[in-house]
Amino acid sequence: MRTPPCGHTRPPDRIDLADPDLHGGDPHAAWRTLRRWDPVSWQPVPDRSGFWAVTRHLDVRTVLADHARFTSTGGVVLSMLGRPEPAQNQQFAASDPPRHGLIRGPLQQQMTARAVARHEPAIRSFVRELLGPADGLVDFVSLTSALPMAFLGPLMGIPAADWPDLARWVSMSVAEQDPDVMLPGGPSATLDRGHRELFAYLLDLVLSHRRRPRGDLVDLLGAMPLRAGAIVANCYSVLLGGSAALPHVPRAVLAELIRTGRYEDWARRPERIGRAVEEALRFSSPAGHFMRLATSDTTLGGVHVAAGDAVVVWLGSANRDESVFRDPDTLDPDRHPNRHLAFGEGRHYCLGAAVARLTLRVFFEELFATFASFEPAAEIERVRSNWLGGIKRMPILAGRR
Amino acid sequence: MQTRSELETMLTRLWSEKLNVTPVGVDDDFFALGGDSLLAADLLMDLYDQLGVEVDAAVLFLKPTIAELVDEVLAA
Ligand code: HEM
């Protein structure tokens, strides 16, 4: 551990960042303590050795930007710690350059801000339909859960009717420790099941695209010189990346606007929506962590890291780093500059960032135009997961304009 | 159209090849033998190419034995 900055000698109480209960409560106090006292902190994990938890903005950027020192090929989420990664070098998310770019490159062209702009009308009408009937008592979680379908239809050819099944399997794959989705067999069995259901679904989807191409991302992947398993694994990345995190952004923001009484203040000024979306991403940071493995002995933030060690960057913590963001716990729609890391950094920077930004902008525009006020109706419940940071129950009273 | 035992022989060979394991029994679990989701997708695609029939992929992923797969191919 490093010497704390200002004369204090009290070490932090033992903090276990892998513990899903920590995230089901409020992880920010723990992150704040680690940033201050132990910013590159060894976290032992029973039976699976452990990992370095990286909580400061600067160190997180260093890890994500340096794929030569910190590889993605050993799995990129904590649930893969100590397990072999079968998608190593097959899935671009689990590959390093140059292999990574060979697969990602062609997809990237379809995912730029300019390329996704053509989907805006479809996204808007989808959002209008979602919000359409909502009035009075609503669960804002149910209301927002299908939001990813606004673009997964156009991007992957997934029919809206498949969403309820997909949503359940995605939850099993990213929040396997949450009691709402966990199977009696435990987290590992839940993860396996969700994963296999999705693989089966996506293999069928790839085949249906072979019969009838749609000019979307699945066709692009299907045409690449990859084995079938790799094609499906990449579809899996896009589907999971696309569906897991996004709905948590408006949930976290609306909960905070209700708590602080600032809904109308946000709703009144649609012209500042661009900055507000960035702040929404920073504040909510729904993709909580990503993992890398050190390729050689190295130092990070003054700490020695050995070759092969797992290094986990906590994006939700980096995005509240008080040395980068003034009043980091305040949701400030005018914050500028806003160097948040909600989409990561470097070569693996989120492939879906542009379509996520577009969808969030449209969603907030429609929300603000449709509703005059919101009030809390019952306690909010958070997801019990060390990866997915967010809210899973949010009953509110909605008043239309 | 192949008989059950022809299909079983063919699938046993295919599984051994993919998994690098012998012998493979018709009631062995693909994942317990060391298979992963990527290999399962490869295997189904090979099967479709060789037999010209497609089965619901969920069969191999959720009921991962040769016996179940053969039932499905025969019904297809
Ligand atoms: C608010 C919503 C989203 C958040 C917070 C988010 C966050 C992230 C982050 C932090 C990464 C970096 C992973 C790493 O460094 O290993 C990432 C990668 C990725 N995201 Fe997103 N994402 C979001 C939405 C989306 C959407 C809508 C899509 C697809 C349509 C998507 C697809 C992907 C893919 C495929 C990757 C892997 C990129 C690579 O490894 O090169 N994401 N995302």
Side-chain angles (χ1 to χ4, degrees), chain A residues 265-382:
Chain A
D265 179 32
W266 275 52
R268 238 184 16 236
R269 292 171 55 189
E271 71 282 0
R272 70 182 179 188
I273 193 74
R275 284 185 186 176
V277 165
E278 294 313 306
E279 177 68 345
L281 286 158
R282 182 194 72 87
F283 185 83
S284 59
S285 297
H289 75 255
F290 278 94
M291 184 170 82
R292 300 290 189 264
L293 300 185
T295 53
S296 56
D297 286 1
T298 186
T299 56
L300 180 65
V303 171
H304 176 78
V305 172
D309 281 358
V311 176
V312 175
V313 299
W314 295 85
L315 303 176
S317 173
N319 283 342
R320 302 281 179 108
D321 188 329
E322 35 291 283
S323 71
V324 177
F325 303 103
R326 192 143 49 91
D327 297 329
D329 296 324
T330 303
L331 179 64
D332 171 8
D334 294 318
R335 190 182 291 279
H336 189 77
N338 191 343
R339 281 283 282 133
H340 72 76
L341 301 174
F343 288 130
E345 170 102 352
R347 300 293 185 95
H348 291 275
Y349 184 81
C350 181
L351 176 73
V355 79
R357 287 187 164 111
L358 170 62
T359 306
L360 290 170
R361 173 172 62 76
V362 169
F363 182 83
F364 281 121
E365 284 170 356
E366 294 297 324
L367 186 80
F368 295 153
T370 311
F371 297 99
S373 66
F374 290 102
E375 278 168 57
E379 282 291 301
I380 281 171
E381 268 182 73
R382 291 178 54 86

Side-chain angles (χ1 to χ4, degrees), chain A residues 8 17-18 51 67 70 74 112 145 154 160 169 180 196 198 246 249 260 301 322 382 384:
Chain A
H8 297 266
L17 282 186
F51 61 90
H67 52 82
F70 301 102
T112 61
S145 82
W169 301 331
D180 287 5
R196 286 186 204 172
L198 286 173
L246 187 87
V249 179
T260 54
E322 35 291 283
R382 291 178 54 86
R384 185 179 183 276

Side-chain angles (χ1 to χ4, degrees), chain A residues 90-355:
Chain A
Q90 307 285 324
Q91 195 182 36
F92 64 96
S95 308
D96 296 328
R99 173 93 185 138
H100 169 261
L102 291 178
I103 306 174
R104 174 166 168 147
L107 303 178
Q108 183 70 51
Q109 294 176 13
Q110 300 300 316
M111 298 298 281
T112 61
R114 187 195 292 240
V116 300
R118 73 195 146 105
H119 300 308
E120 178 167 344
I123 292 174
R124 191 174 298 278
S125 68
F126 187 92
V127 168
R128 284 193 178 149
E129 240 170 78
L130 273 192
L131 299 180
D135 196 10
L137 183 62
V138 292
D139 181 357
F140 196 65
V141 168
S142 322
L143 191 69
T144 46
S145 82
L147 190 55
M149 282 308 291
F151 51 82
L152 287 177
L155 293 179
M156 298 188 80
I158 292 176
D162 295 349
W163 178 246
D165 280 339
L166 287 177
R168 198 170 73 258
W169 301 331
V170 166
S171 296
M172 289 164 77
S173 303
V174 298
E176 75 279 6
Q177 298 149 317
D178 190 278
D180 287 5
V181 294
M182 204 199 298
L183 299 176
S188 210
T190 309
L191 204 59
D192 278 348
R193 179 65 186 264
H195 190 85
R196 286 186 204 172
E197 294 272 16
L198 286 173
F199 258 70
Y201 178 88
L202 290 168
L203 180 62
D204 290 339
L205 187 73
V206 167
L207 286 164
S208 95
H209 277 69
R210 263 191 200 172
R211 286 189 291 269
R212 191 169 70 81
R214 285 152 235 200
D216 61 14
L217 298 182
V218 178
D219 287 324
L220 275 178
L221 282 165
M224 289 184 194
L226 298 170
R227 51 185 269 229
I231 292 171
V232 177
N234 284 297
C235 289
Y236 175 90
S237 260
V238 177
L239 175 60
L240 231 61
S243 50
L246 187 87
H248 290 283
V249 179
R251 291 171 194 165
V253 167
L254 186 62
E256 182 67 3
L257 293 180
I258 292 173
R259 194 183 71 79
T260 54
R262 296 198 58 196
Y263 175 77
E264 192 49 30
D265 179 32
W266 275 52
R268 238 184 16 236
R269 292 171 55 189
E271 71 282 0
R272 70 182 179 188
I273 193 74
R275 284 185 186 176
V277 165
E278 294 313 306
E279 177 68 345
L281 286 158
R282 182 194 72 87
F283 185 83
S284 59
S285 297
H289 75 255
F290 278 94
M291 184 170 82
R292 300 290 189 264
L293 300 185
T295 53
S296 56
D297 286 1
T298 186
T299 56
L300 180 65
V303 171
H304 176 78
V305 172
D309 281 358
V311 176
V312 175
V313 299
W314 295 85
L315 303 176
S317 173
N319 283 342
R320 302 281 179 108
D321 188 329
E322 35 291 283
S323 71
V324 177
F325 303 103
R326 192 143 49 91
D327 297 329
D329 296 324
T330 303
L331 179 64
D332 171 8
D334 294 318
R335 190 182 291 279
H336 189 77
N338 191 343
R339 281 283 282 133
H340 72 76
L341 301 174
F343 288 130
E345 170 102 352
R347 300 293 185 95
H348 291 275
Y349 184 81
C350 181
L351 176 73
V355 79

